[in-house]
Amino acid sequence: MLALRLTRSAHPAVHLRRLLVTTASAGTGFLLLCTLGHALTHPGTPAASALRLAWCTVPLATTVHFALAVARTDPGTRPRPGLAAIGLGPARLMAVSATTTALSTALGSLLALLVFLHLRGDLTGMPFDGAAAGLLAADVPLPLPAALTLLAWVPVTASVAVALSLRPRETRPAARSQGTGRSLRRFDVRGRGARETFGTYGRFGAWTRARQDADGGAPARRTVNGGVTSRHPAGDEAAGAAQGGADRTAPTPDGADGTPEAGGRTPDPTPPDPTALPWGAAFLAAGLAVEAYAAHTPGDTHVTLPGGPTGPAAVLVGWAFTALGLALAGPGLTHLCGRLLQAARPGALRLLAGRGLMQEASRIGRPLGVLCAVASGAYSTAVLYDPADPALGPLTTLGALLVTGCTLATLLTAAVEARQARADTTAALLRLGAPNTTLRTAAALRAAALAALFLPLTLLVAVLAALPLAG
């Protein structure tokens, strides 16, 4: 009931994204039902039906990825101060997000079933003079349990993915400083453990001792937190820690405890460095190597690809490795773009654009990698497609539109999420007097840097991926 209330009271833009999820779920469910129809009309060729079902995993994966991106940008299920007091903690909000996703995708599966039954003529007679009778097995009774099982794939997979992605995580690692054995944890005024960063010890400890050495051993006088002065390093460190704890637990207007994040710790301002770039490069190189090896290996099993061309079955393995490598390498490449923008004595504009890319690498990097994989596959298919071959039917077109549309929608949704995440930073810059032109120019610079890196990479991967089948 709570999920339905949040769905009904959401912003129109949120409703639009959920409607797109429902549409994508309906398209994927229709493809799965058409695969069932092919199996009913061709009982003697189970391998061909299994191959069609395997190809349906591509639109299924892109639909689930899009549903996960929409769930992450849903403002109604975002943790806010005070919600835990009424029973809406992180676990409950995760359950609400998973339920909302399940409702949206289940509605799409229901629409797919209704359209499928209508085209079969099971509801109001055969439409379009029976043009779709061969594809949908209109002359064979439809096994309802099998149809419902296939239609349940999208809601179950999407809701499980959302639950796993948004599940509450422990954010209190027991880290220790190297060589000293001193724990980098302290406790705030409420007794909760808060992770301390290396920068804090540098500000209140090492910095003070360095000033003492520079002054000939005399304790340095310095300002702590904008007012209180002290000649004792221990007092400086204690004052800074106490002020940091007070800042973390300052009450908010609605009466909440005011902790910025779950676990009572302040987020590290340094953008995280993605660590999956070596794995992505390894999978990408392995996929291209498998494709090149399969092209020169005689006697390999050939399969029919969507759109008509046939090729060695090992090429499919290479394509899967290539797509996985691009998806894994996307965040690292985006982070690299941010670093390159800040190289060679950058100005304020390049610093703002590069820092933004580094901060948003984990959000927009993976959708960018998936988009590169889809674009390279589309380029390879366009190069290999023969206009005289009628194999490119309506179901192949529907699958291509689903994959492309879901990938683009996921990237746009990730951009919306990144914009929501940097809303406070943008507001702070505007309060400091930064003109809107600077912010727009920084956004255009980020987009240009990403295009300069990802477009040549996509073209290179597409050409290399098409070589085995072209030969």
Side-chain angles (χ1 to χ4, degrees):
M1 185 61 67
L2 178 61
L4 290 176
R5 290 180 178 178
L6 291 176
T7 301
R8 185 181 59 183
S9 60
H11 192 269
V14 179
H15 284 304
L16 177 61
R17 291 195 290 267
R18 291 171 179 168
L19 181 61
L20 292 177
V21 171
T22 301
T23 304
S25 176
T28 305
F30 186 79
L31 287 178
L32 291 171
L33 291 178
C34 291
T35 302
L36 177 61
H38 182 273
L40 293 176
T41 55
H42 302 80
T45 57
S49 300
L51 182 61
R52 285 173 172 259
L53 185 62
W55 280 115
C56 288
T57 58
V58 179
L60 174 63
T62 54
T63 301
V64 171
H65 193 205
F66 177 44
L68 177 59
V70 171
R72 289 174 60 91
T73 58
D74 192 349
T77 57
R78 187 175 303 156
R80 290 186 296 272
L83 290 181
I86 60 174
L88 291 178
R92 182 72 181 277
L93 290 177
M94 177 270 295
V96 171
S97 298
T99 304
T100 304
T101 303
L103 290 175
S104 301
T105 51
L107 178 60
S109 297
L110 179 60
L111 291 177
L113 179 61
L114 293 178
V115 172
F116 185 79
L117 294 177
H118 174 69
L119 294 179
R120 277 172 50 93
D122 295 337
L123 298 179
T124 59
M126 185 68 65
F128 306 113
D129 297 329
L135 293 175
L136 309 180
D139 54 346
V140 180
L142 180 67
L144 190 59
L148 295 180
T149 300
L150 291 176
L151 290 176
W153 279 17
V154 179
V156 171
T157 308
S159 57
V160 169
V162 170
L164 292 178
S165 177
L166 303 182
R167 71 187 186 278
R169 293 178 174 86
E170 179 63 34
T171 59
R172 301 179 183 179
R176 290 184 177 272
S177 60
Q178 297 179 357
T180 62
R182 180 170 56 176
S183 175
L184 296 182
R185 291 175 58 86
R186 62 181 178 80
F187 292 89
D188 58 16
V189 295
R190 295 175 183 261
R192 295 171 300 189
R195 180 178 178 269
E196 194 63 87
T197 61
F198 287 96
T200 303
Y201 282 96
R203 289 192 299 271
F204 300 114
W207 183 88
T208 306
R209 287 189 292 272
R211 287 293 304 273
Q212 292 179 15
D213 297 338
D215 295 339
R221 177 182 295 272
R222 58 170 299 215
T223 300
V224 179
N225 299 315
V228 181
T229 60
S230 172
R231 289 186 177 272
H232 302 284
D236 287 347
E237 183 173 352
Q243 182 65 27
D247 292 341
R248 283 169 174 80
T249 58
T252 54
D254 60 351
D257 55 5
T259 53
E261 285 186 347
R265 68 182 182 94
T266 302
D268 191 355
T270 303
D273 191 1
T275 58
L277 181 57
W279 287 102
F283 274 106
L284 181 60
L288 295 176
V290 168
E291 294 171 10
Y293 176 77
H296 299 86
T297 302
D300 194 7
T301 304
H302 283 61
V303 295
T304 302
L305 307 180
T310 60
V315 172
L316 301 182
V317 180
W319 280 9
F321 279 4
T322 301
L324 180 60
L326 288 173
L328 290 177
L333 293 176
T334 305
H335 196 274
L336 178 62
C337 281
R339 285 192 177 275
L340 293 178
L341 275 178
Q342 301 174 80
R345 302 178 63 87
L349 186 60
R350 283 202 292 143
L351 276 176
L352 182 61
R355 194 70 173 181
L357 275 183
M358 293 172 63
Q359 193 71 38
E360 299 165 3
S362 59
R363 291 187 177 93
I364 65 175
R366 187 152 300 165
L368 273 174
V370 175
L371 180 62
C372 288
V374 172
S376 61
Y379 177 85
S380 303
T381 304
V383 169
L384 300 172
Y385 175 65
D386 184 8
D389 191 353
L392 187 62
L395 297 183
T396 304
T397 305
L398 175 60
L401 291 177
L402 270 176
V403 172
T404 306
C406 288
T407 305
L408 291 174
T410 302
L411 180 59
L412 294 178
T413 306
V416 171
E417 181 187 4
R419 182 178 181 181
Q420 293 174 353
R422 66 171 182 268
D424 294 339
T425 303
T426 303
L429 290 174
L430 292 176
R431 286 195 303 268
L432 291 174
N436 290 324
T437 306
T438 302
L439 300 180
R440 288 193 292 265
T441 306
L445 187 58
R446 288 195 297 266
L450 291 176
L453 178 62
F454 280 94
L455 285 180
L457 176 64
T458 303
L459 183 61
L460 177 62
V461 172
V463 172
L464 294 178
L467 284 178
L469 296 181

